[in-house]
Amino acid sequence: MPSLSPAFPSRLPNVGTTVFTVMSALAAQHKAINLGQGFPDFACDPHLIAYVNKAMLDSHNQYPPMVGIPQLRHGIRDKIKNLYGHEYDADAEITVTAGGTQGILTAILCCVSPGDEVVIIEPAYDSYRPSIELAGGKVIAVSLTTIRDAQGQVSSYEIPWDQLAKVVNPKTRLIMINSPHNPTGMVWQKSDVDQLANLVRNTNALIVSDEVYEHMVYDGAQHESIARYPELVNRSFLISSFGKTYHVTGWKVGYVAAPAELMKEFRKVHQFNVFTVNTPMQYGLAQYLSESEHYLNLPQFYQAKRDFFKAGLEKTGFKLLPTPGTYFQCVDYSNIQSPQSKLNEGDFCSWLSTEIGVAAIPVSAFYENPVESGVVRFCFAKKEQTLTDALQRLERI
Ligand code: GLN
């Protein structure tokens, strides 16, 4: 039999199907409650749907401007200015994207040339590395410092500033940062951003700041957006996502803000990458964004879910890691019953899905060379009933 198509070398030989898809499929197969892949299982606000519906009925169904409709870009500008202080030029410095992930890929493609070094901090969101590799960049990974308590269980994480100082050099094109952090829920402090400013001050390194969980920072803390720091804004792509903020991950709409020189290059790639992002969603989101209470109330909304889920998990054998941000709760399972406590994180998640009936994500999947810490991630962006049902199953642990 002749082969159907000519063979060619893979551009991404080490990439398989993402862990989120794999774990969601496993959850569906075993009818497990899916606390793995990060997405809400509750409806978005019907007003938002009504706004999009109206836009469709009003004939906003053809191509929008390549960079996004002005109303939405103006709304994004105002939100960033009000929350973080920096005023981007809505015409030259903000582009609406098909979700945060496209914004990240496009930012990387527009500035990373073959051989350039790009620094990531692992565990890192799984799209970063392949995006850098597609651009021909060289991934330089450092690991978050894992802090353990007296019993040897993971208690928190810190940015490895010593390591970063060692790897940043004149070949460093880009540093990828992410706060609030997926998967650990860690949130950067002002001191972290100050350290970053010191690190890059005399370099040519640009920054991609993945802030898609910006409205999920809890306990009264503030989100340390890159847009609070004028010195860093000038070298940064700020990435955010309406899917996360408005419970519509399937709509795939986000945005990127960056100084004009960077945005000019970003748009060169964007226009041939997606060209435009769907029109009625943009109109609907523009109107909804003008009602600031929706994003201002989000920390309170998710903090209540976090606290509810945490209170239930306290009755299990898991050790809970702090969750200052995101809609993810990480747990250390190294003290639960044997032999499950000895499983690697991937196998533990398979066991959890098939035997307990709850899906989770192994934190090791966020590393190129899996680091096994005995920690898995649950998503608590779920209805109270879903969390209650999952907790009932997890009580067996
Ligand atoms: N960002 C989401 C998560 O971390 C899922 C994204 C995806 O499925 N690719 O779970």
Side-chain angles (χ1 to χ4, degrees), residues 159-356:
I159 303 291
W161 292 111
D162 291 355
Q163 287 295 318
L164 284 165
K166 281 189 199 137
V167 300
V168 170
N169 70 65
K171 282 194 287 222
T172 306
R173 173 73 291 150
L174 199 61
I175 301 174
M176 313 274 305
I177 62 170
N178 171 215
S179 176
H181 181 245
N182 182 6
T184 65
M186 178 195 175
V187 163
W188 280 43
Q189 309 297 313
K190 181 179 182 305
S191 56
D192 291 309
V193 193
D194 290 341
Q195 297 253 37
L196 179 67
N198 290 337
L199 183 71
V200 299
R201 190 161 294 128
N202 297 313
T203 74
N204 289 320
L206 302 173
I207 294 165
V208 165
S209 184
D210 174 354
E211 304 184 15
V212 299
Y213 301 100
E214 64 179 315
H215 301 296
M216 296 170 212
V217 174
Y218 310 127
D219 307 313
Q222 69 171 26
H223 169 56
E224 293 297 344
S225 174
I226 210 78
R228 289 186 191 275
Y229 297 87
E231 184 186 351
L232 291 174
V233 159
N234 289 332
R235 56 169 85 222
S236 300
F237 296 93
L238 185 166
I239 316 279
S240 193
S241 152
F242 292 114
K244 304 282 188 288
T245 302
Y246 296 143
H247 321 307
V248 287
T249 58
W251 289 11
K252 297 298 298 176
V253 187
Y255 59 87
V256 175
E261 304 91 283
L262 299 188
M263 188 46 77
K264 187 168 158 232
E265 294 303 315
F266 181 95
R267 288 173 174 177
K268 288 183 191 173
V269 178
H270 176 82
Q271 67 179 339
F272 297 122
N273 183 189
V274 292
F275 180 46
T276 56
V277 174
N278 85 64
T279 310
M281 300 310 192
Q282 291 197 48
Y283 278 92
L285 286 165
Q287 188 167 350
Y288 201 67
L289 181 60
S290 70
E291 302 162 8
S292 59
E293 67 273 19
H294 303 307
Y295 58 81
L296 292 177
N297 290 340
L298 207 64
Q300 194 187 331
F301 172 79
Y302 272 126
Q303 186 170 323
K305 288 199 180 292
R306 178 199 67 170
D307 293 345
F308 178 80
F309 189 48
K310 261 187 187 301
L313 284 177
E314 296 286 359
K315 297 185 199 129
T316 70
F318 291 128
K319 159 98 193 276
L320 311 192
L321 272 69
T323 309
T326 74
Y327 50 40
F328 301 120
Q329 172 67 51
C330 286
V331 299
D332 184 322
Y333 60 87
S334 56
N335 259 12
I336 66 157
Q337 75 265 22
S338 213
Q340 283 75 28
S341 59
K342 303 286 178 286
L343 292 174
N344 71 34
E345 294 172 12
D347 290 344
F348 182 78
C349 286
S350 299
W351 173 78
L352 202 62
S353 243
T354 53
E355 300 302 321
I356 303 293

